[in-house]
Amino acid sequence: MEPLLTGLEIAKKAVETGAAESVKVAETAETAMELSENTRLELGRLGTPELDSRISFGSLANGEFKRDANYLAWKDGIDAGEVEPEWIERLTNEISEIYGDEKLEVVEVPGFYNAGMQIDKGRLFYGSEYFEDNGNEHGEDLIIGAIAHEVGHRVVDNLGLTAEITDYEHEACADYIAGLTARLCKLDRGHLLSWYGTRSEFSRDGEHPGSAVRIEILMRGLTRIDRGAEASVLRTFENFSPYDLGGIYKDSGMLKSILYEDVLAPLRTGEIKKI
């Protein structure tokens, strides 16, 4: 989550935080974050046939993931070693499954105190200590919300929106997708709101919105109800079943129109004041 880094910034940050052996800084954005061969062997590509077979919309919608031993281990506080790489990849790809059929690569970077998406490659980077600390401070569901935000960046890019919107709007769309995901997973919104409430009141870099804007957009995703083309499928927020959402956001045209309706148009007309 904030501050989201480009591939080049991820590499530079990793070097600054002591992961110089894990990454090398390239000259262009296209090759900005490349792991060394040794690091690839050490971290691995976490996707396995056994893991991939468990990825489904249903396990998020029916709350199965909350009964997983990995999630239950977080309930009494997140200790070192409890952010399992395979578990983070499973959550990442189950979230990705809501919005398409793409499998994402997930890489744990030692010493990297952040989370970020290399948007052009669909590669999520994270540091376990970053998730541990923020999960303990704000609540375990913040970790899933943070992953959803990062996946949101890739979703926005897959929709072809990157060329149409500003970096500020890109961040806002990712926050909205985090809200949609939290609604589907029935995450504790208090955990997400706690984290968003600690963000800078005003944009510090011209890319990440101020906290009030981020909370407004997150809540729009959390509380979206019947309207538009999806009204024949979705139920009201109070009564809807997560299964009503099955496949709805895989309609790229519909999702794109939702983002324009709830995020982009309000930002551009001043309905949501940019700060």
Side-chain angles (χ1 to χ4, degrees):
M1 298 179 75
E2 186 186 7
L4 181 90
L5 306 177
T6 64
L8 182 59
E9 290 169 332
I10 287 173
K12 289 180 177 177
K13 183 66 176 178
V15 170
E16 292 169 1
T17 55
E21 296 303 316
S22 300
V23 295
K24 59 181 180 179
V25 180
E27 294 297 324
T28 65
E30 288 75 19
T31 58
M33 182 62 183
E34 292 294 337
L35 298 175
S36 70
E37 288 303 314
N38 287 339
T39 301
R40 285 189 183 279
L41 289 173
E42 176 187 349
L43 297 177
R45 295 187 59 131
L46 304 176
T48 64
E50 293 78 15
L51 186 61
D52 289 346
S53 68
R54 299 167 62 195
I55 293 171
S56 68
F57 172 85
S59 68
L60 285 177
N62 66 17
E64 176 189 335
F65 77 97
K66 291 187 177 181
R67 298 187 291 274
D68 189 285
N70 291 283
Y71 183 84
L72 292 173
W74 292 352
K75 299 295 288 182
D76 60 352
I78 305 166
D79 297 326
E82 288 189 344
V83 178
E84 294 285 347
E86 293 83 359
W87 172 237
I88 297 301
E89 181 171 67
R90 178 187 169 190
L91 291 171
T92 298
N93 280 301
E94 288 190 355
I95 292 169
S96 179
E97 170 75 12
I98 299 170
Y99 305 101
D101 299 309
E102 182 180 34
K103 298 291 192 299
L104 301 180
E105 180 183 359
V106 178
V107 179
E108 180 184 6
V109 180
F112 179 48
Y113 196 77
N114 211 328
M117 174 65 69
Q118 192 174 4
I119 297 173
D120 61 336
K121 296 186 183 299
R123 183 183 294 158
L124 185 144
F125 295 94
Y126 75 95
S128 60
E129 187 176 357
Y130 177 76
F131 279 162
E132 290 163 8
D133 289 351
N134 281 280
N136 283 325
E137 180 177 355
H138 303 289
E140 68 276 0
D141 285 354
L142 180 277
I143 296 175
I144 304 173
I147 295 170
H149 173 94
E150 301 305 342
V151 172
H153 281 289
R154 177 65 173 177
V155 171
V156 169
D157 191 62
N158 285 341
L159 291 174
L161 279 171
T162 300
E164 302 177 14
I165 63 179
T166 67
D167 290 342
Y168 186 101
E169 292 171 337
H170 211 299
E171 289 292 336
C173 287
D175 285 335
Y176 185 84
I177 288 172
L180 284 177
T181 306
R183 176 193 179 199
L184 170 64
C185 302
K186 297 187 182 298
L187 300 183
D188 187 324
R189 67 178 64 185
H191 296 184
L192 279 69
L193 290 171
S194 173
W195 187 90
Y196 278 90
T198 64
R199 302 303 89 196
S200 175
E201 183 179 358
F202 301 100
S203 178
R204 294 178 298 179
D205 55 11
E207 296 182 11
H208 292 83
S211 58
V213 175
R214 302 192 73 172
I215 290 171
E216 162 73 12
I217 290 170
L218 176 78
M219 289 303 299
R220 285 177 175 235
L222 272 166
T223 60
R224 182 175 176 87
I225 58 175
D226 295 359
R227 59 184 181 273
E230 65 199 293
S232 62
V233 178
L234 304 184
R235 308 294 188 263
T236 62
F237 180 73
E238 290 78 12
N239 299 321
F240 97 111
S241 163
Y243 283 103
D244 295 332
L245 291 168
I248 193 69
Y249 296 130
K250 288 188 179 184
D251 183 329
S252 60
M254 178 176 290
L255 182 55
K256 191 172 182 178
S257 69
I258 289 171
L259 290 172
Y260 266 101
E261 176 187 353
D262 277 358
V263 181
L264 300 174
L267 285 172
R268 293 176 181 182
T269 62
E271 179 185 342
I272 300 176
K273 184 180 178 180
K274 296 180 182 179
I275 57 174

